[in-house]
Amino acid sequence: MGKRKIKTQDLERRKKIKQDQDAKLSMGLFNEDITSDIEDQSNNWEDEEQDYELKPREMKEKHMVESLPIKRIDGTVERVLREVIKKEEPEDEGEEEQEEPLEEQTKEQEEEEPDDYANLSPQEKLIKTKEDIAELASKLIENPEENITCLTRLRKMSESKNFMTSQLVIMSLIPIFKSLAPSYKIRPLTDMEKREKVSREIARLRQFEQSLVVNYKSYIDLLYKHSKISYSNSLNNNKITSDQLKRGNLALKAATELCLSSLRHFNYRSELFTILIKRLNKKPKQQQDLPIFIKSIRVLETLLKEDEEHGDITFEIIKIISKTIKSKNFRVDESVLNVFLSISLLEDYDPNQNKDDFKPKLKKKDRVHLSKKERKNRKERKEIEEEMRTAQQAITIEQREKYQSQVLKMVLMSYLEILKASQGSFQKGTENDDAILLIGSVLEGLSRYGQMANFDLLGDFLQVLREIMVDVVDEEEGIYTGKQIRIILLCIATSFSLVLNHGSMGRLPIAIDFSSFIDTLYKLLTDIALDSDLEFSHKTLRLADPITEELTKPAVNVSTKSELLLRCLDFIFFRSKNGTISRATAFTKRLYILALQTPEKTSLAILKFIGKLISRYDNNLKGLWNTEDSVGEGNYILGIEKNDESIIRLERCNIGAATLWENVLLDDYYAPIVKDGSRSLMKNSKNEGR
């Protein structure tokens, strides 16, 4: 008992001495006197093997560096810290190095310039880098499961700060991922699957798939990081180098190549689509970014056109675009919104189809009798078929219809939000508002997809379209510009298209009055002839104005203003019940005035439309060609003045007193085909008069 107590006291004494010594070491108070005292005390120790504990120790600080985090299969993110040994450098160097940690410099040197690169020239280094990349890629393609570590090495080389190495590896990884990745998603393993014992081949396959997914995710993250840098958004940032700008466009090119391959069906395709869509903000001002911008638009349009049978890709693209447009407060280019016009998934969509197609329930006497064992076997077969279908990720008819309804809802809600945001902008004098610039694309899209909307949204759309049209008309006191004319015509055509398509489907329980739209079109006819871009579309090749040196490109809408005008007239007189004799007579007079000033194609189309009106209303329009058959009293009011709203209305023009004296002027028209058309109309009207 006594020996144990003495031993405990010795241990406590030695522990106390050690703590005091360590404290003095940390404060730098260790000297020879203290060392001698401690050595004297150590002689009294029974155990001489413990003398090393009293020797001065070196305080080694561990330099920890945080590496890339690891994302586990269950979704948790784990931080990774590694120790880096700091090499002592001579103190004679006068210049201080940069504040970059030494371990990062060491890592960069190890990755970018191996030992065998030290004595090589730049040209030899380039050749050596290409040879290494080719060797790793060939090993990976020959036996992917055995050489999956080569993919990890290539992916780490793509993160190099050396632009040459990073550029070569980023582009070389594109065909590698195309050849390795399947055309379906690889799901993560469940906890039960991780614990179960499998064969060596299955374990190796699982390791290959998980490693492929991890490296692909890191590669997509790298592309997203580089794609944020462009020439347009770095004009005022001097810290961005030219290599970073080139790498940004290179990342976009790589993303477009991946989107057009089978990788659009692989994991993390939403992140891949986001890389393209995030760069589609305003149209780039720098010439270096313009080809990438156009190519990204074309890739998205191609994806939407080719996704006609499934709909999952269309759903993800439209979801990301609609969120991006809303988050940017509609500060996007008009061509981005026109991507919606390329949706092929909605071409055969009928919202009412599900209501009519239902399977009647079989009666009990018509059912096939099955035994208990047969019912059990049938249930098992259904479960197996469902599991196989899920594994193959096949899209059923029900899933496709669900994607169609969700895509249509997102598109129409985006259109409605843009229209509501543009209300009142013309009267406030803010025509450069971001939402105003998108009205043309919205109205063009509504004319295509508006008939699929339900009746509740129809009322909202009509109200917003009427308010936008009234804002444009009330704001302008002089001659309407080409942009304002296009907006008014699109509002009228879209409104008729929405209502008439609902009426043809039998979903229109009430009659809707279009008087305001018809009066506005009648008022606009005299200003349409003054538009020089009447027959030009967005595809027309234009030269800049020689005076202002500016190129005023028409809106991105598909139709020209002449086509929109004829579409509106066709809606009024031939596709709805709004065409009356008085309206047909008034519009005929104004259309003749319009034909005197319009180009050849438009004038000929107007005369053909007047011929259709004559054939429909027979002799009711004959008074316009013959003064003796005039039924009106007083004078015809032309109504082109805008200072008095009361005399511009269609009902107050006294159309019964009008005469088509424009036929005489059309005989001197420069185009012979227009002359013949005018004479033919006059001849037909006289024959009908007799």
Side-chain angles (χ1 to χ4, degrees), residues 563-628:
E563 294 172 348
L564 288 174
L565 172 62
L566 295 173
R567 187 190 305 175
C568 294
L569 294 172
D570 184 66
F571 278 136
I572 295 173
F573 293 102
F574 295 99
R575 298 183 59 185
S576 67
K577 298 180 180 180
N578 294 275
T580 61
I581 296 177
S582 59
R583 285 177 176 176
T585 308
F587 270 92
T588 301
K589 174 62 178 179
R590 284 226 167 177
L591 287 174
Y592 258 97
I593 299 175
L594 179 64
L596 292 174
Q597 313 296 332
T598 53
E600 176 183 351
K601 294 181 180 179
T602 305
S603 298
L604 183 61
I606 289 174
L607 293 177
K608 289 184 178 180
F609 181 80
I610 294 174
K612 290 176 62 177
L613 285 178
I614 296 174
S615 61
R616 177 170 185 178
Y617 293 100
D618 299 332
N619 297 330
N620 294 317
L621 304 180
K622 65 179 181 179
L624 294 175
W625 281 270
N626 192 353
T627 56
E628 297 179 356

Side-chain angles (χ1 to χ4, degrees), residues 376-431:
K376 184 178 179 181
N377 293 335
R378 187 177 65 174
K379 184 178 180 181
E380 291 178 355
R381 286 196 301 269
K382 287 184 178 180
E383 292 177 355
I384 294 173
E385 291 175 358
E386 179 67 20
E387 185 176 354
M388 293 181 62
R389 187 192 60 79
T390 305
Q392 296 175 359
Q393 294 186 352
I395 304 298
T396 61
I397 298 177
E398 292 78 9
Q399 290 176 335
R400 183 173 182 270
E401 291 178 353
K402 183 178 180 181
Y403 283 135
Q404 286 178 328
S405 62
Q406 292 176 345
V407 168
L408 178 63
K409 180 180 179 181
M410 289 187 292
V411 170
L412 293 179
M413 290 306 297
S414 299
Y415 287 160
L416 187 59
E417 289 174 356
I418 294 173
L419 291 176
K420 288 183 177 180
S422 62
Q423 289 185 21
S425 298
F426 288 95
Q427 291 183 349
K428 296 177 183 178
T430 58
E431 288 194 27

Side-chain angles (χ1 to χ4, degrees), residues 276-284 293 297 320-340 414 418 432-439 441-442 556:
L276 272 66
I277 297 172
K278 287 294 183 182
R279 283 287 292 267
L280 301 180
N281 196 350
K282 288 290 186 181
K283 197 170 186 178
F293 178 85
I297 294 291
I320 298 173
I321 292 179
S322 58
K323 286 185 177 180
T324 303
I325 292 174
K326 189 175 181 180
S327 63
K328 294 181 180 296
N329 294 326
F330 314 111
R331 293 192 302 270
V332 296
D333 189 70
E334 196 176 17
S335 57
V336 179
L337 197 62
N338 279 332
V339 174
F340 291 168
S414 299
I418 294 173
N432 294 326
D433 187 68
D434 298 312
I436 288 294
L437 301 177
L438 302 177
I439 287 183
S441 297
V442 172
V556 187

Side-chain angles (χ1 to χ4, degrees), residues 117 124-136:
Y117 284 19
E124 293 175 344
K125 287 181 181 179
L126 177 61
I127 297 175
K128 182 64 176 176
T129 303
K130 291 181 179 180
E131 291 177 353
D132 293 344
I133 295 173
E135 182 180 359
L136 293 173

Side-chain angles (χ1 to χ4, degrees), residues 118-360:
N119 299 325
L120 298 179
S121 63
Q123 187 67 23
E124 293 175 344
K125 287 181 181 179
L126 177 61
I127 297 175
K128 182 64 176 176
T129 303
K130 291 181 179 180
E131 291 177 353
D132 293 344
I133 295 173
E135 182 180 359
L136 293 173
S138 60
K139 289 182 179 179
L140 191 59
I141 293 176
E142 288 176 1
N143 195 344
E145 297 182 2
E146 292 291 340
N147 302 318
I148 191 61
T149 54
C150 297
L151 180 62
T152 304
R153 185 177 175 186
L154 284 172
R155 194 259 306 164
K156 290 183 178 179
M157 290 175 64
S158 66
E159 300 173 357
S160 173
K161 294 184 179 179
N162 190 333
F163 174 71
M164 177 192 68
T165 304
S166 177
Q167 178 184 13
L168 291 175
V169 180
I170 286 176
M171 299 307 295
S172 64
L173 281 174
I174 297 175
I176 292 175
F177 280 120
K178 285 183 179 180
S179 60
L180 297 182
S183 58
Y184 56 86
K185 291 184 179 180
I186 297 177
R187 64 174 180 83
L189 298 176
T190 61
D191 296 337
M192 183 179 297
E193 291 174 342
K194 293 178 182 178
R195 292 192 299 266
E196 66 181 2
K197 294 182 180 180
V198 295
S199 62
R200 184 177 300 177
E201 290 78 8
I202 296 177
R204 185 173 57 184
L205 178 60
R206 287 182 176 180
Q207 183 181 3
F208 165 75
E209 289 180 346
Q210 299 304 319
S211 179
L212 175 63
V213 172
V214 170
N215 284 283
Y216 183 70
K217 177 63 167 60
S218 302
Y219 181 68
I220 294 298
D221 293 340
L222 179 67
L223 296 182
Y224 181 76
K225 176 183 176 182
H226 291 331
S227 64
K228 293 181 179 179
I229 302 175
S230 63
Y231 289 89
S232 300
N233 59 18
S234 61
L235 295 176
N236 300 325
N237 193 347
N238 298 327
K239 296 182 180 179
I240 298 178
T241 62
S242 60
D243 290 343
Q244 291 176 330
L245 295 173
K246 294 178 182 178
R247 197 175 294 171
N249 284 350
L250 184 68
L252 260 295
K253 292 180 181 178
T256 54
E257 292 293 331
L258 294 177
C259 286
L260 294 177
S261 65
S262 61
L263 290 169
R264 55 185 165 182
H265 304 289
F266 192 55
N267 298 50
Y268 306 107
R269 65 181 178 188
S270 297
E271 289 80 358
L272 185 61
F273 296 154
T274 305
I275 296 176
L276 272 66
I277 297 172
K278 287 294 183 182
R279 283 287 292 267
L280 301 180
N281 196 350
K282 288 290 186 181
K283 197 170 186 178
K285 299 180 180 179
Q286 297 295 319
Q287 191 67 25
Q288 296 89 337
D289 291 335
L290 190 58
I292 298 296
F293 178 85
I294 297 175
K295 187 174 183 180
S296 300
I297 294 291
R298 297 294 176 263
V299 169
L300 292 176
E301 292 177 350
T302 303
L303 292 175
L304 294 177
K305 290 178 181 178
E306 295 180 354
D307 188 37
E308 183 179 0
E309 298 180 356
H310 298 83
D312 50 346
I313 295 178
T314 302
F315 173 74
E316 293 188 8
I317 292 177
I318 300 302
K319 181 179 179 181
I320 298 173
I321 292 179
S322 58
K323 286 185 177 180
T324 303
I325 292 174
K326 189 175 181 180
S327 63
K328 294 181 180 296
N329 294 326
F330 314 111
R331 293 192 302 270
V332 296
D333 189 70
E334 196 176 17
S335 57
V336 179
L337 197 62
N338 279 332
V339 174
F340 291 168
L341 300 177
S342 302
I343 300 176
S344 61
L345 181 67
L346 300 176
E347 291 181 356
D348 59 342
Y349 180 57
D350 186 4
N352 289 337
Q353 186 176 1
N354 296 333
K355 297 181 181 180
D356 300 332
D357 299 341
F358 66 93
K359 295 182 179 180

Side-chain angles (χ1 to χ4, degrees), residues 451-486:
Q451 68 271 15
M452 303 179 187
N454 54 29
F455 186 72
D456 297 333
L457 282 178
L458 176 63
D460 295 335
F461 279 122
L462 290 179
Q463 181 180 359
V464 174
L465 291 173
R466 186 181 291 107
E467 291 178 357
I468 292 175
M469 184 184 64
V470 171
D471 290 343
V472 178
V473 174
D474 294 343
E475 186 269 341
E476 184 61 41
E477 296 180 357
I479 300 175
Y480 295 106
T481 62
K483 178 182 176 182
Q484 292 171 336
I485 291 174
R486 178 176 290 275

